[in-house]
Amino acid sequence: MSMTSVTITVPSHFVPGGLPTPDCKQFGFNGFERSFIRSAKDNTVTFAFFAPTTNCNEEHFDEELEKYFWVFL
């Protein structure tokens, strides 16, 4: 399966100190954007990866994402 973009949204209380910007190339993408969404109900953090590299695939992305989050938990 080829991927064109990936967006991950998590409640901001899961990342109270914030997370460093990931190396998007390591995830198989050329671009990355982080945004904070504040609302009356819940605050969220969105991580968006876009512009995939030629070797980008779901399995590799999942492996890198797991490594990234385990470092900070």
PDB file of all heavy atoms in Angstrom, residues 1-8 26-29 49 52-67:
ATOM      1  N   MET A   1       0.841  -1.171   0.000  1.00  0.00           N
ATOM      2  CA  MET A   1       0.000   0.000   0.000  1.00  0.00           C
ATOM      3  C   MET A   1       0.885   1.232   0.000  1.00  0.00           C
ATOM      4  O   MET A   1       1.858   1.306   0.731  1.00  0.00           O
ATOM      5  CB  MET A   1      -0.891  -0.016   1.242  1.00  0.00           C
ATOM      6  CG  MET A   1      -1.685   1.257   1.398  1.00  0.00           C
ATOM      7  SD  MET A   1      -2.549   1.412   2.983  1.00  0.00           S
ATOM      8  CE  MET A   1      -3.745   0.127   2.861  1.00  0.00           C
ATOM      9  N   SER A   2       0.565   2.196  -0.820  1.00  0.00           N
ATOM     10  CA  SER A   2       1.321   3.442  -0.800  1.00  0.00           C
ATOM     11  C   SER A   2       0.568   4.471   0.026  1.00  0.00           C
ATOM     12  O   SER A   2      -0.652   4.456   0.118  1.00  0.00           O
ATOM     13  CB  SER A   2       1.541   3.964  -2.219  1.00  0.00           C
ATOM     14  OG  SER A   2       0.299   4.261  -2.815  1.00  0.00           O
ATOM     15  N   MET A   3       1.321   5.348   0.647  1.00  0.00           N
ATOM     16  CA  MET A   3       0.733   6.369   1.510  1.00  0.00           C
ATOM     17  C   MET A   3       1.023   7.737   0.900  1.00  0.00           C
ATOM     18  O   MET A   3       2.106   7.968   0.382  1.00  0.00           O
ATOM     19  CB  MET A   3       1.336   6.263   2.911  1.00  0.00           C
ATOM     20  CG  MET A   3       1.047   4.925   3.552  1.00  0.00           C
ATOM     21  SD  MET A   3       1.858   4.551   5.134  1.00  0.00           S
ATOM     22  CE  MET A   3       2.292   6.027   5.880  1.00  0.00           C
ATOM     23  N   THR A   4       0.038   8.632   0.989  1.00  0.00           N
ATOM     24  CA  THR A   4       0.251   9.986   0.494  1.00  0.00           C
ATOM     25  C   THR A   4       0.453  10.966   1.636  1.00  0.00           C
ATOM     26  O   THR A   4       1.170  11.944   1.503  1.00  0.00           O
ATOM     27  CB  THR A   4      -0.927  10.456  -0.378  1.00  0.00           C
ATOM     28  OG1 THR A   4      -2.128  10.376   0.385  1.00  0.00           O
ATOM     29  CG2 THR A   4      -1.038   9.595  -1.615  1.00  0.00           C
ATOM     30  N   SER A   5      -0.202  10.707   2.762  1.00  0.00           N
ATOM     31  CA  SER A   5      -0.018  11.532   3.956  1.00  0.00           C
ATOM     32  C   SER A   5      -0.537  10.759   5.162  1.00  0.00           C
ATOM     33  O   SER A   5      -1.311   9.819   5.025  1.00  0.00           O
ATOM     34  CB  SER A   5      -0.752  12.868   3.833  1.00  0.00           C
ATOM     35  OG  SER A   5      -2.149  12.656   3.796  1.00  0.00           O
ATOM     36  N   VAL A   6      -0.085  11.173   6.341  1.00  0.00           N
ATOM     37  CA  VAL A   6      -0.523  10.558   7.586  1.00  0.00           C
ATOM     38  C   VAL A   6      -0.753  11.679   8.586  1.00  0.00           C
ATOM     39  O   VAL A   6       0.082  12.566   8.735  1.00  0.00           O
ATOM     40  CB  VAL A   6       0.535   9.584   8.152  1.00  0.00           C
ATOM     41  CG1 VAL A   6       0.106   9.048   9.504  1.00  0.00           C
ATOM     42  CG2 VAL A   6       0.823   8.465   7.190  1.00  0.00           C
ATOM     43  N   THR A   7      -1.892  11.633   9.279  1.00  0.00           N
ATOM     44  CA  THR A   7      -2.169  12.593  10.334  1.00  0.00           C
ATOM     45  C   THR A   7      -2.513  11.830  11.602  1.00  0.00           C
ATOM     46  O   THR A   7      -3.354  10.944  11.587  1.00  0.00           O
ATOM     47  CB  THR A   7      -3.346  13.513   9.955  1.00  0.00           C
ATOM     48  OG1 THR A   7      -3.035  14.178   8.731  1.00  0.00           O
ATOM     49  CG2 THR A   7      -3.607  14.549  11.029  1.00  0.00           C
ATOM     50  N   ILE A   8      -1.846  12.191  12.681  1.00  0.00           N
ATOM     51  CA  ILE A   8      -2.072  11.557  13.976  1.00  0.00           C
ATOM     52  C   ILE A   8      -2.502  12.646  14.937  1.00  0.00           C
ATOM     53  O   ILE A   8      -1.834  13.673  15.068  1.00  0.00           O
ATOM     54  CB  ILE A   8      -0.784  10.883  14.483  1.00  0.00           C
ATOM     55  CG1 ILE A   8      -0.331   9.831  13.482  1.00  0.00           C
ATOM     56  CG2 ILE A   8      -0.995  10.291  15.868  1.00  0.00           C
ATOM     57  CD1 ILE A   8       1.079   9.401  13.678  1.00  0.00           C
ATOM     58  N   GLN A  26      13.109   9.959   8.287  1.00  0.00           N
ATOM     59  CA  GLN A  26      13.204   8.667   8.956  1.00  0.00           C
ATOM     60  C   GLN A  26      11.855   7.941   8.886  1.00  0.00           C
ATOM     61  O   GLN A  26      11.803   6.719   8.842  1.00  0.00           O
ATOM     62  CB  GLN A  26      13.620   8.889  10.404  1.00  0.00           C
ATOM     63  CG  GLN A  26      14.035   7.660  11.128  1.00  0.00           C
ATOM     64  CD  GLN A  26      14.616   8.008  12.490  1.00  0.00           C
ATOM     65  OE1 GLN A  26      14.850   9.169  12.821  1.00  0.00           O
ATOM     66  NE2 GLN A  26      14.837   7.007  13.294  1.00  0.00           N
ATOM     67  N   PHE A  27      10.764   8.693   8.862  1.00  0.00           N
ATOM     68  CA  PHE A  27       9.424   8.125   8.783  1.00  0.00           C
ATOM     69  C   PHE A  27       9.001   7.821   7.347  1.00  0.00           C
ATOM     70  O   PHE A  27       7.954   7.243   7.115  1.00  0.00           O
ATOM     71  CB  PHE A  27       8.405   9.078   9.409  1.00  0.00           C
ATOM     72  CG  PHE A  27       8.430   9.076  10.907  1.00  0.00           C
ATOM     73  CD1 PHE A  27       9.382   9.784  11.601  1.00  0.00           C
ATOM     74  CD2 PHE A  27       7.489   8.354  11.621  1.00  0.00           C
ATOM     75  CE1 PHE A  27       9.398   9.793  12.989  1.00  0.00           C
ATOM     76  CE2 PHE A  27       7.497   8.347  13.002  1.00  0.00           C
ATOM     77  CZ  PHE A  27       8.458   9.059  13.689  1.00  0.00           C
ATOM     78  N   GLY A  28       9.787   8.275   6.385  1.00  0.00           N
ATOM     79  CA  GLY A  28       9.463   8.024   4.984  1.00  0.00           C
ATOM     80  C   GLY A  28       8.729   9.168   4.307  1.00  0.00           C
ATOM     81  O   GLY A  28       8.097   8.986   3.272  1.00  0.00           O
ATOM     82  N   PHE A  29       8.829  10.367   4.875  1.00  0.00           N
ATOM     83  CA  PHE A  29       8.171  11.545   4.305  1.00  0.00           C
ATOM     84  C   PHE A  29       9.161  12.694   4.180  1.00  0.00           C
ATOM     85  O   PHE A  29      10.168  12.754   4.872  1.00  0.00           O
ATOM     86  CB  PHE A  29       6.992  11.973   5.188  1.00  0.00           C
ATOM     87  CG  PHE A  29       5.812  11.052   5.097  1.00  0.00           C
ATOM     88  CD1 PHE A  29       5.709   9.946   5.922  1.00  0.00           C
ATOM     89  CD2 PHE A  29       4.819  11.266   4.155  1.00  0.00           C
ATOM     90  CE1 PHE A  29       4.640   9.074   5.818  1.00  0.00           C
ATOM     91  CE2 PHE A  29       3.747  10.408   4.050  1.00  0.00           C
ATOM     92  CZ  PHE A  29       3.651   9.302   4.879  1.00  0.00           C
ATOM     93  N   PHE A  49       2.257  14.239   8.493  1.00  0.00           N
ATOM     94  CA  PHE A  49       3.378  13.897   7.622  1.00  0.00           C
ATOM     95  C   PHE A  49       2.862  13.950   6.188  1.00  0.00           C
ATOM     96  O   PHE A  49       1.776  13.442   5.902  1.00  0.00           O
ATOM     97  CB  PHE A  49       3.892  12.487   7.925  1.00  0.00           C
ATOM     98  CG  PHE A  49       4.492  12.337   9.295  1.00  0.00           C
ATOM     99  CD1 PHE A  49       3.705  12.071  10.396  1.00  0.00           C
ATOM    100  CD2 PHE A  49       5.864  12.463   9.468  1.00  0.00           C
ATOM    101  CE1 PHE A  49       4.265  11.928  11.656  1.00  0.00           C
ATOM    102  CE2 PHE A  49       6.436  12.328  10.723  1.00  0.00           C
ATOM    103  CZ  PHE A  49       5.627  12.056  11.816  1.00  0.00           C
ATOM    104  N   PRO A  52       5.413  11.944   0.621  1.00  0.00           N
ATOM    105  CA  PRO A  52       6.143  10.700   0.885  1.00  0.00           C
ATOM    106  C   PRO A  52       7.363  10.523  -0.002  1.00  0.00           C
ATOM    107  O   PRO A  52       7.409  11.003  -1.133  1.00  0.00           O
ATOM    108  CB  PRO A  52       5.110   9.616   0.588  1.00  0.00           C
ATOM    109  CG  PRO A  52       4.152  10.246  -0.351  1.00  0.00           C
ATOM    110  CD  PRO A  52       4.110  11.703   0.009  1.00  0.00           C
ATOM    111  N   THR A  53       8.356   9.831   0.539  1.00  0.00           N
ATOM    112  CA  THR A  53       9.525   9.451  -0.251  1.00  0.00           C
ATOM    113  C   THR A  53       9.153   8.223  -1.078  1.00  0.00           C
ATOM    114  O   THR A  53       8.105   7.607  -0.853  1.00  0.00           O
ATOM    115  CB  THR A  53      10.730   9.118   0.658  1.00  0.00           C
ATOM    116  OG1 THR A  53      10.376   8.014   1.494  1.00  0.00           O
ATOM    117  CG2 THR A  53      11.129  10.307   1.510  1.00  0.00           C
ATOM    118  N   THR A  54       9.996   7.841  -1.993  1.00  0.00           N
ATOM    119  CA  THR A  54       9.686   6.715  -2.871  1.00  0.00           C
ATOM    120  C   THR A  54       9.625   5.384  -2.127  1.00  0.00           C
ATOM    121  O   THR A  54       8.958   4.463  -2.572  1.00  0.00           O
ATOM    122  CB  THR A  54      10.718   6.608  -4.010  1.00  0.00           C
ATOM    123  OG1 THR A  54      12.023   6.511  -3.436  1.00  0.00           O
ATOM    124  CG2 THR A  54      10.645   7.798  -4.927  1.00  0.00           C
ATOM    125  N   ASN A  55      10.296   5.280  -0.981  1.00  0.00           N
ATOM    126  CA  ASN A  55      10.296   4.020  -0.233  1.00  0.00           C
ATOM    127  C   ASN A  55       9.317   4.022   0.941  1.00  0.00           C
ATOM    128  O   ASN A  55       9.374   3.154   1.790  1.00  0.00           O
ATOM    129  CB  ASN A  55      11.706   3.687   0.260  1.00  0.00           C
ATOM    130  CG  ASN A  55      12.249   4.738   1.198  1.00  0.00           C
ATOM    131  OD1 ASN A  55      11.709   5.831   1.301  1.00  0.00           O
ATOM    132  ND2 ASN A  55      13.338   4.424   1.875  1.00  0.00           N
ATOM    133  N   CYS A  56       8.400   4.961   0.990  1.00  0.00           N
ATOM    134  CA  CYS A  56       7.448   5.071   2.095  1.00  0.00           C
ATOM    135  C   CYS A  56       6.425   3.936   2.028  1.00  0.00           C
ATOM    136  O   CYS A  56       5.848   3.672   0.984  1.00  0.00           O
ATOM    137  CB  CYS A  56       6.735   6.418   2.023  1.00  0.00           C
ATOM    138  SG  CYS A  56       5.522   6.663   3.328  1.00  0.00           S
ATOM    139  N   ASN A  57       6.235   3.255   3.169  1.00  0.00           N
ATOM    140  CA  ASN A  57       5.166   2.260   3.264  1.00  0.00           C
ATOM    141  C   ASN A  57       4.651   2.219   4.700  1.00  0.00           C
ATOM    142  O   ASN A  57       5.294   2.696   5.628  1.00  0.00           O
ATOM    143  CB  ASN A  57       5.615   0.877   2.770  1.00  0.00           C
ATOM    144  CG  ASN A  57       6.688   0.264   3.633  1.00  0.00           C
ATOM    145  OD1 ASN A  57       6.547   0.162   4.851  1.00  0.00           O
ATOM    146  ND2 ASN A  57       7.781  -0.156   3.016  1.00  0.00           N
ATOM    147  N   GLU A  58       3.491   1.638   4.852  1.00  0.00           N
ATOM    148  CA  GLU A  58       2.809   1.649   6.140  1.00  0.00           C
ATOM    149  C   GLU A  58       3.581   0.893   7.225  1.00  0.00           C
ATOM    150  O   GLU A  58       3.679   1.354   8.361  1.00  0.00           O
ATOM    151  CB  GLU A  58       1.416   1.049   5.977  1.00  0.00           C
ATOM    152  CG  GLU A  58       0.556   1.171   7.212  1.00  0.00           C
ATOM    153  CD  GLU A  58      -0.864   0.695   6.977  1.00  0.00           C
ATOM    154  OE1 GLU A  58      -1.227   0.362   5.841  1.00  0.00           O
ATOM    155  OE2 GLU A  58      -1.604   0.648   7.971  1.00  0.00           O
ATOM    156  N   GLU A  59       4.131  -0.236   6.894  1.00  0.00           N
ATOM    157  CA  GLU A  59       4.861  -1.034   7.877  1.00  0.00           C
ATOM    158  C   GLU A  59       6.058  -0.270   8.441  1.00  0.00           C
ATOM    159  O   GLU A  59       6.268  -0.216   9.653  1.00  0.00           O
ATOM    160  CB  GLU A  59       5.328  -2.349   7.251  1.00  0.00           C
ATOM    161  CG  GLU A  59       6.026  -3.264   8.237  1.00  0.00           C
ATOM    162  CD  GLU A  59       6.466  -4.567   7.602  1.00  0.00           C
ATOM    163  OE1 GLU A  59       6.006  -4.903   6.501  1.00  0.00           O
ATOM    164  OE2 GLU A  59       7.288  -5.249   8.234  1.00  0.00           O
ATOM    165  N   HIS A  60       6.837   0.353   7.566  1.00  0.00           N
ATOM    166  CA  HIS A  60       8.001   1.134   8.009  1.00  0.00           C
ATOM    167  C   HIS A  60       7.558   2.318   8.866  1.00  0.00           C
ATOM    168  O   HIS A  60       8.147   2.594   9.912  1.00  0.00           O
ATOM    169  CB  HIS A  60       8.806   1.620   6.804  1.00  0.00           C
ATOM    170  CG  HIS A  60       9.934   2.518   7.182  1.00  0.00           C
ATOM    171  ND1 HIS A  60      11.089   2.048   7.759  1.00  0.00           N
ATOM    172  CD2 HIS A  60      10.063   3.864   7.103  1.00  0.00           C
ATOM    173  CE1 HIS A  60      11.892   3.071   8.014  1.00  0.00           C
ATOM    174  NE2 HIS A  60      11.292   4.177   7.625  1.00  0.00           N
ATOM    175  N   PHE A  61       6.521   3.017   8.431  1.00  0.00           N
ATOM    176  CA  PHE A  61       6.025   4.164   9.195  1.00  0.00           C
ATOM    177  C   PHE A  61       5.603   3.730  10.599  1.00  0.00           C
ATOM    178  O   PHE A  61       5.945   4.377  11.583  1.00  0.00           O
ATOM    179  CB  PHE A  61       4.851   4.833   8.471  1.00  0.00           C
ATOM    180  CG  PHE A  61       4.350   6.048   9.199  1.00  0.00           C
ATOM    181  CD1 PHE A  61       4.945   7.286   8.996  1.00  0.00           C
ATOM    182  CD2 PHE A  61       3.308   5.955  10.107  1.00  0.00           C
ATOM    183  CE1 PHE A  61       4.511   8.402   9.680  1.00  0.00           C
ATOM    184  CE2 PHE A  61       2.856   7.075  10.795  1.00  0.00           C
ATOM    185  CZ  PHE A  61       3.459   8.296  10.581  1.00  0.00           C
ATOM    186  N   ASP A  62       4.842   2.642  10.700  1.00  0.00           N
ATOM    187  CA  ASP A  62       4.389   2.154  12.001  1.00  0.00           C
ATOM    188  C   ASP A  62       5.562   1.820  12.920  1.00  0.00           C
ATOM    189  O   ASP A  62       5.532   2.127  14.109  1.00  0.00           O
ATOM    190  CB  ASP A  62       3.503   0.926  11.834  1.00  0.00           C
ATOM    191  CG  ASP A  62       2.143   1.250  11.244  1.00  0.00           C
ATOM    192  OD1 ASP A  62       1.768   2.448  11.185  1.00  0.00           O
ATOM    193  OD2 ASP A  62       1.449   0.299  10.813  1.00  0.00           O
ATOM    194  N   GLU A  63       6.591   1.201  12.380  1.00  0.00           N
ATOM    195  CA  GLU A  63       7.772   0.865  13.180  1.00  0.00           C
ATOM    196  C   GLU A  63       8.458   2.121  13.711  1.00  0.00           C
ATOM    197  O   GLU A  63       8.836   2.186  14.884  1.00  0.00           O
ATOM    198  CB  GLU A  63       8.761   0.050  12.353  1.00  0.00           C
ATOM    199  CG  GLU A  63       8.304  -1.348  12.037  1.00  0.00           C
ATOM    200  CD  GLU A  63       9.210  -2.055  11.033  1.00  0.00           C
ATOM    201  OE1 GLU A  63      10.240  -1.469  10.620  1.00  0.00           O
ATOM    202  OE2 GLU A  63       8.880  -3.185  10.661  1.00  0.00           O
ATOM    203  N   GLU A  64       8.623   3.111  12.852  1.00  0.00           N
ATOM    204  CA  GLU A  64       9.285   4.353  13.267  1.00  0.00           C
ATOM    205  C   GLU A  64       8.438   5.117  14.280  1.00  0.00           C
ATOM    206  O   GLU A  64       8.969   5.688  15.235  1.00  0.00           O
ATOM    207  CB  GLU A  64       9.582   5.235  12.054  1.00  0.00           C
ATOM    208  CG  GLU A  64      10.662   4.681  11.157  1.00  0.00           C
ATOM    209  CD  GLU A  64      11.979   4.461  11.890  1.00  0.00           C
ATOM    210  OE1 GLU A  64      12.389   5.317  12.695  1.00  0.00           O
ATOM    211  OE2 GLU A  64      12.603   3.415  11.649  1.00  0.00           O
ATOM    212  N   LEU A  65       7.133   5.124  14.095  1.00  0.00           N
ATOM    213  CA  LEU A  65       6.242   5.821  15.022  1.00  0.00           C
ATOM    214  C   LEU A  65       6.298   5.180  16.400  1.00  0.00           C
ATOM    215  O   LEU A  65       6.364   5.879  17.413  1.00  0.00           O
ATOM    216  CB  LEU A  65       4.809   5.815  14.486  1.00  0.00           C
ATOM    217  CG  LEU A  65       3.800   6.605  15.303  1.00  0.00           C
ATOM    218  CD1 LEU A  65       4.168   8.091  15.300  1.00  0.00           C
ATOM    219  CD2 LEU A  65       2.404   6.398  14.745  1.00  0.00           C
ATOM    220  N   GLU A  66       6.316   3.867  16.444  1.00  0.00           N
ATOM    221  CA  GLU A  66       6.403   3.178  17.730  1.00  0.00           C
ATOM    222  C   GLU A  66       7.713   3.527  18.429  1.00  0.00           C
ATOM    223  O   GLU A  66       7.727   3.840  19.637  1.00  0.00           O
ATOM    224  CB  GLU A  66       6.298   1.665  17.546  1.00  0.00           C
ATOM    225  CG  GLU A  66       6.295   0.917  18.848  1.00  0.00           C
ATOM    226  CD  GLU A  66       6.094  -0.579  18.677  1.00  0.00           C
ATOM    227  OE1 GLU A  66       5.774  -1.032  17.573  1.00  0.00           O
ATOM    228  OE2 GLU A  66       6.272  -1.284  19.692  1.00  0.00           O
ATOM    229  N   LYS A  67       8.819   3.510  17.719  1.00  0.00           N
ATOM    230  CA  LYS A  67      10.118   3.882  18.310  1.00  0.00           C
ATOM    231  C   LYS A  67      10.081   5.319  18.839  1.00  0.00           C
ATOM    232  O   LYS A  67      10.570   5.603  19.928  1.00  0.00           O
ATOM    233  CB  LYS A  67      11.233   3.751  17.284  1.00  0.00           C
ATOM    234  CG  LYS A  67      11.656   2.346  17.001  1.00  0.00           C
ATOM    235  CD  LYS A  67      12.926   2.339  16.174  1.00  0.00           C
ATOM    236  CE  LYS A  67      12.639   1.996  14.751  1.00  0.00           C
ATOM    237  NZ  LYS A  67      13.815   1.963  13.896  1.00  0.00           N
TER     238      LYS A  67
END
